[in-house]
């Protein structure tokens, strides 16, 4: 039997938001490999497991370590927060395993992604078509990111922005807001969730116009409503269509 | 204390893919309300719970039943498959509760959405920006759906198509494929997953050109790769950027 590497999305972070499959994959693994911050988060909840932590931006090293451990016969869980399949480790692991010509079986374990976790906190902003865009230009040209933002705005998608800001990328979010405003009203509701599903959770609703002034950082997800999104009783709601109250007739 | 309605996304269907929070909300509720097919699926796994099932397209009735039960003092779990916050019941429930001026607390419980479940089966197709579009024109004008498909294709998003086909909507998927082909090569990989995370699961990879001939139905999710997506060892992979193998330097 081939050695197995589970590439596990453990969701926002706390146990209630993990799937049973993710918990099983981690607790049954001989080694849990992940980015230092996430390993610390998991250690608190599963102190009995064996961990191997690597710093940020060392994704390829982390995958190589996971493959090497698997080749010695260990069952490995390579962990990501959110969903391992959405900007997660699943892709890099498959690429590195192929590069190493390693005969290992990679099993992806889906999790609750940040957009879902944030939407649950805000109300129901993702009831209609949406686009997920990362504002990190570490591996994508900035012009392409802006082009996607502009086209998503034109298409009237609800827009989920991952990695909206970091210490080195402070101006992109304001530029994205400007591009979206070319197709959407300044008062379009925008939901911001910081540390969704984790200690220190904070969520608030603002407008597209005010977005550039909001205290957004790399721990936030930003959800920009579509042309129909509204706020009611403190909840951000995108109706499912243009005749939601007449649905019985359709 | 206000009566509580948990609007629960239980994921693809089977227990391993549910979050602990979803299981807790359902098993601690006095009444579980849902669409007949999903109630049957849950009854097999949680036979001890009290259920109330309503047929398809009776979403508003289902929400009213949930609100009425809550107003009699019952804790209610209103269930959706996937994520209750993505084309799920969260929005309709909030709208109906407001319409009924019911003083209830709505708590959204996120789940693993079909795009995540399908991606895990296919490999790693969602490693870069993506758009989620429903091809159901029950509540959205068809022109708007096609417009979104075309703009998403132009923006080079990976495209996840929900509700790709039904008995009454057989031609939309072929039209969508044609629109996407105006911006993407005929050999672009397309992953199709039927019954992801449920009994009778089936997944296969085809191309954009062949998509119109594939046996797709309403139980499928269709994932169309972006310009960089490729297939390797039977897995569909979208690289994270244009320099994934050089990530250490960025």
């Amino acid at each position: 039997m081939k050695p197995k590497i589970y590439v596990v999305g453990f969701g926002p972070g706390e146990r209630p938001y993990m799937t049973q499959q993710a918990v099983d994959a981690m607790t049954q693994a001989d080694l849990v490999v992940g980015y230092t911050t996430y390993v610390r988060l998991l250690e608190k909840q599963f102190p009995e497991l064996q961990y191997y932590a690597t710093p940020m931006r060392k994704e390829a090293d982390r995958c190589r370590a996971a493959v090497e451990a698997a080749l010695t016969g260990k069952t490995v869980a390579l962990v990501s927060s959110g969903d391992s399949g959405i900007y997660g480790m699943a892709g890099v692991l498959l690429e590195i395993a192929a590069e190493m010509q390693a005969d290992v079986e990679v099993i992806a374990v889906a999790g609750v992604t940040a957009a879902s976790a944030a939407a649950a906190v805000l109300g129901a902003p993702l009831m209609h078509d949406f686009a997920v865009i990362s504002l990190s230009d570490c591996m994508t040209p900035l012009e392409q990111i802006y082009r996607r933002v502009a086209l998503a705005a034109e298409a009237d998608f609800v827009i989920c922005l991952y990695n909206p800001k970091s210490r080195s990328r402070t101006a992109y979010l304001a530029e994205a807001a400007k591009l979206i405003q070319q197709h959407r009203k300044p008062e379009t509701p925008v939901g911001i969730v910081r540390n969704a599903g984790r200690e220190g959770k904070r969520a608030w609703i603002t407008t597209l116009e005010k977005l550039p002034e909001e205290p957004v950082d790399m721990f936030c997800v930003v959800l920009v409503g579509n042309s129909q999104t509204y706020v009611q009783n403190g909840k951000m709601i995108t109706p499912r269509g243009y005749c939601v109250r007449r649905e019985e007739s359709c």
Side-chain angles (χ1 to χ4, degrees), chain A:
Chain A
M1 227 167 60
K2 283 188 195 183
K4 283 180 179 160
I5 307 178
Y6 292 86
V7 54
V8 177
F10 61 77
E14 292 169 0
R15 176 66 187 88
Y17 312 112
M18 294 177 189
T19 66
Q20 191 58 48
Q21 191 193 19
V23 172
D24 289 349
M26 294 190 293
T27 54
Q28 289 164 19
D30 301 304
L31 185 68
V32 176
V33 179
Y35 164 43
T36 315
T37 306
Y38 298 140
V39 164
R40 290 215 183 106
L41 211 153
L42 292 170
E43 270 175 334
K44 281 188 211 161
Q45 304 178 72
F46 305 96
E48 71 285 8
L49 305 181
Q50 291 298 315
Y51 294 95
Y52 177 76
T54 69
M56 197 162 69
R57 293 193 179 174
K58 292 288 180 191
E59 285 85 358
D61 289 354
R62 212 175 296 146
C63 292
R64 272 179 220 112
V67 172
E68 278 158 15
L71 290 175
T72 69
K74 285 182 175 159
T75 297
V76 179
L78 177 67
V79 296
S80 304
S81 72
D83 179 3
S84 59
I86 295 181
Y87 306 113
M89 297 297 292
V92 203
L93 178 62
L94 286 168
E95 294 192 70
I96 297 282
E99 207 174 86
M100 291 172 76
Q101 301 186 301
D103 194 26
V104 295
E105 188 183 352
V106 172
I107 300 157
V109 176
V112 171
T113 186
S116 289
V121 173
L122 292 166
L126 299 182
M127 289 291 111
H128 215 293
D129 306 330
F130 62 97
V132 177
I133 302 171
S134 167
L135 290 191
S136 164
D137 66 339
C138 172
M139 292 191 284
T140 307
L142 191 53
E143 319 82 73
Q144 187 181 4
I145 297 173
Y146 287 150
R147 195 165 167 268
R148 282 188 178 152
V149 169
L151 287 163
E154 190 182 341
D156 203 25
F157 284 116
V158 178
I159 301 175
C160 310
L161 299 172
Y162 280 45
N163 307 310
K165 231 177 199 178
S166 76
R167 254 164 292 181
S168 59
R169 296 175 286 105
T170 54
Y172 303 177
L173 182 62
E175 180 61 26
K178 207 171 86 182
L179 290 168
I180 299 171
Q181 264 207 66
Q182 291 175 7
H183 300 276
R184 242 164 266 187
K185 288 183 220 155
E187 60 270 26
T188 301
V190 174
I192 302 170
V193 184
R194 189 171 192 273
N195 283 326
R198 279 189 220 172
E199 215 171 287
K201 182 182 81 184
R202 201 194 145 205
W204 68 103
I205 297 173
T206 181
T207 62
L208 188 51
E209 189 176 34
K210 290 182 190 150
L211 178 55
E213 272 71 58
E214 297 292 340
V216 171
D217 64 16
M218 61 189 291
F219 302 105
C220 294
V221 174
V222 174
L223 271 70
V224 181
N226 71 12
S227 62
Q228 310 295 309
T229 304
Y230 62 95
V231 178
Q232 187 169 52
N233 304 328
K235 305 274 189 185
M236 180 174 173
I237 301 173
T238 302
R240 289 194 303 168
Y242 297 92
C243 62
V244 66
R245 290 196 175 76
R246 282 173 286 128
E247 75 187 79
E248 282 86 355
S249 63
C250 74

